[in-house]
Structures are given as C-alpha cells and as structure tokens.
Amino acid sequence: MIGALLFASLVATYAALTSDFPMIEDDGLFILGAWDLGTAHAPGYPLFILLSQPFLLLPFGTVAFQVHLLNGVLAALTCSLLYAYLLRRVDVSPIVALTASLCLAFSGLFFSQALVAEAYMLNAFLLMCLLWIPSLALSLSYRFFLAGFVTGLALTNHCLLLQSSAAEE
C-alpha cells in the first residue's frame, strides 16, 4: 500500500515539475529520437526510444513532456522498488525504507535526471530489477536466464556505462 502511494506521489511530483520543452545536454536529441523512432546519438539507446513510444500516445502534453514523463515514471518505479527491496530483502522498518526511497527520489542528481529525457533512469530501474532477481521464487536456471535478459536490456540502453566500469578494473 505504501509502495503504491509512494509511486503515485512521485509520478505526480515529477510530472508537475518537468518541463514541456527540451532542457539540458542531450535532452533534445532523446526527444527527437523518440518522436521519429530514430537514434538519439551513438549508441542509439534503442530500449529507451522504444519505451517512449506508448508515452507519445498520451492525449495531453507536448512531445517533450511525454518523453520527460517516461523518465519520471522510471524514477518513481526505481524508488518504489527500492522501498520494497529494503522492506523484504534487507528487513528494515517501513519508516527507514520510505526515508531511504525519498532520499534517493529527491537527491540532487537523481532528481535532476528524473525530469529530463536521458537514459540514466532506465539504467537505475534495470539495476533495481537485477537486485530483485535472486529473491524470485524461480529455479536457479530461470534466475540466471532472467538476469542475463535484464543485463542484455541494460546493454541496449547504455552499454558505455558497463564498458567504462569494466575498463577501470
């Protein structure tokens, strides 16, 4: 119940504060890529572009607002999954889990990226999905398959993040 309320309130907050005009850095490229099903820039971000398509069907807002709303929803999903993860897997109190989720939701960098069209919120959401996979009630082989699938999705979103972190080691 609290997780759903957290999700709804975060989506409403992000939607109320996002812009209906392209903002910073690559925001305009992602909006244009979503609008014409093109590529934002190398490496193209195909998963983000495909996920933006249902949001472009919304009967309200500009194209920029609709694509920004996708990032707001992904950010809210990430924070809600973090709340549920902390409750069930880490076994903390609901107040601690809610506080941690709200701290993430309104931290400077996370909050700023939730209001623009960028690929980072999708990466954060996929990371939270990867954290959940070991706790699923599936056989070990299905969990490995699902982890590989989600990792593959993350590679289609922003493979350079994974490559740069592997190169540093």
Side-chain angles (χ1 to χ4, degrees), residues 59-136:
F60 56 87
T62 63
V63 173
F65 176 80
Q66 293 166 341
V67 178
H68 291 161
L69 188 60
L70 165 64
N71 260 15
V73 168
L74 289 170
L77 278 171
T78 301
C79 294
S80 299
L81 279 176
L82 176 64
Y83 172 77
Y85 181 79
L86 291 174
L87 276 182
R88 293 191 181 109
R89 299 296 297 158
V90 182
D91 197 30
V92 298
S93 72
I95 297 296
V96 172
L98 183 62
T99 303
S101 298
L102 289 174
C103 284
L104 175 64
F106 294 108
S107 64
L109 187 58
F110 190 89
F111 185 76
S112 68
Q113 292 299 310
L115 300 179
V116 297
E118 280 284 347
Y120 303 118
M121 285 301 107
L122 182 54
N123 265 13
F125 172 69
L126 292 172
L127 174 65
M128 285 308 303
C129 290
L130 279 173
L131 286 175
W132 268 103
I133 288 173
S135 65
L136 296 176

Side-chain angles (χ1 to χ4, degrees), residues 4-16:
L5 186 60
L6 174 67
F7 173 74
S9 62
L10 286 177
V11 168
T13 302
Y14 291 142

